[in-house]
């Protein structure tokens, strides 16, 4: 129904952003809300996909068309819902995901939250050789603050990662300085090993 929304980014939380479009605030669930940090109070274009269920009408937002296409491909797989698809997108650089799918690397795919062997096999079966020229969308980072790591861990919990997984990663990240987005990317890479 919607292709994109153009408006002012007014709020960022660990699970969603709010985009003001002509006085109407749209809540958009996104893979990594902190990737929008440099755009607060700026006019931006966010690609969207609407999911309508009996109990909710939900909008999912994306930095670019490539990320949206990847999301749509992922939710077409039996066993992967929108929340899992966002977690997969947030956890990977997209190139690694496509490579794993095309090479049938089930072990790699089961490292994503909510993806077991059956779902990983289904991903390979449904999506093998369906991605062309998938590249990461350009994201930006922000200045470092002491709460950045806490925000990153909260966002990872919202994506479905368990506290026990995050404690191991937190120990490795404490004492380093990075943006929330940087911490999320680093934590996801560490958990994918």
């Amino acid at each position: 129904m919607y292709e994109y929304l153009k408006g002012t980014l007014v709020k960022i939380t660990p699970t969603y952003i709010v985009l003001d479009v002509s006085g109407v605030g749209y809540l958009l669930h996104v893979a990594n809300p902190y990737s929008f940090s440099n755009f607060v109070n700026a006019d931006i274009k966010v690609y969207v996909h609407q999911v309508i269920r009996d109990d909710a009408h939900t909008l999912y937002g994306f930095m670019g068309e490539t990320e949206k296409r990847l999301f749509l491909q992922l939710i077409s797989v039996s066993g992967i819902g929108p929340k899992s698809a966002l977690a997969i997108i947030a956890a990977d650089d997209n190139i690694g995901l496509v490579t794993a799918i095309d090479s049938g690397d089930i072990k790699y795919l089961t490292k994503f939250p909510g993806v077991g062997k059956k779902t990983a096999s289904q991903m390979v079966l449904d999506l093998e050789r369906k991605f062309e020229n998938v590249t990461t969308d350009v994201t930006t980072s922000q200045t470092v603050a002491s709460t950045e790591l806490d925000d990153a861990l909260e966002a990872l919990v919202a994506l479905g990662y368990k506290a026990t997984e995050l404690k191991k990663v937190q120990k490795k990240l404490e004492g380093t300085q990075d943006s929330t987005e940087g911490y999320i990317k680093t934590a996801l890479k560490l958990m994918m090993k």
Side-chain angles (χ1 to χ4, degrees), residues 115-132:
V115 177
K117 287 183 180 179
K118 184 178 176 182
T119 303
S121 298
Q122 192 67 48
M123 287 172 72
V124 171
L125 183 66
D126 291 352
L127 301 177
E128 188 174 24
R129 307 281 180 240
K130 288 195 177 178
F131 298 107
E132 295 179 11

Side-chain angles (χ1 to χ4, degrees), residues 2-175:
Y2 301 111
E3 178 65 19
Y4 63 84
L5 295 173
K6 232 177 173 178
T8 305
L9 179 63
V10 294
K11 184 176 184 179
I12 296 175
T13 73
T15 56
Y16 64 87
I17 61 172
V18 176
L19 192 67
D20 183 314
V21 180
S22 300
V24 178
Y26 288 91
L27 187 148
L28 305 172
H29 294 275
V30 295
N32 182 358
Y34 296 105
S35 64
F36 292 86
S37 294
N38 284 348
F39 305 110
V40 175
N41 296 322
D43 288 338
I44 60 171
K45 181 198 290 189
V46 180
Y47 288 85
V48 295
H49 177 72
Q50 182 178 25
V51 174
I52 299 174
R53 301 237 163 102
D54 291 340
D55 59 345
H57 292 237
T58 309
L59 285 172
Y60 296 91
F62 312 96
M63 290 288 282
E65 289 181 274
T66 302
E67 191 176 79
K68 181 179 177 180
R69 281 194 308 271
L70 180 60
F71 175 84
L72 294 174
Q73 289 282 2
L74 289 170
I75 63 171
S76 73
V77 175
S78 177
I80 297 181
K83 186 176 178 181
S84 294
L86 284 183
I88 291 168
I89 291 169
D92 199 77
D93 61 2
N94 300 347
I95 305 289
L97 172 65
V98 173
T99 303
I101 289 171
D102 287 345
S103 66
D105 188 350
I106 302 298
K107 186 176 178 183
Y108 181 87
L109 296 173
T110 58
K111 292 182 180 181
F112 293 114
V115 177
K117 287 183 180 179
K118 184 178 176 182
T119 303
S121 298
Q122 192 67 48
M123 287 172 72
V124 171
L125 183 66
D126 291 352
L127 301 177
E128 188 174 24
R129 307 281 180 240
K130 288 195 177 178
F131 298 107
E132 295 179 11
N133 302 323
V134 174
T135 58
T136 56
D137 291 308
V138 178
T139 57
T140 56
S141 59
Q142 63 180 25
T143 57
V144 178
S146 62
T147 60
E148 303 296 324
L149 180 58
D150 293 335
D151 289 343
L153 294 172
E154 188 176 340
L156 290 167
V157 168
L159 287 170
Y161 287 95
K162 295 183 174 101
T164 53
E165 293 175 301
L166 296 177
K167 282 184 181 181
K168 295 175 187 174
V169 173
Q170 183 177 1
K171 289 178 184 177
K172 293 178 182 177
L173 296 177
E174 285 176 343

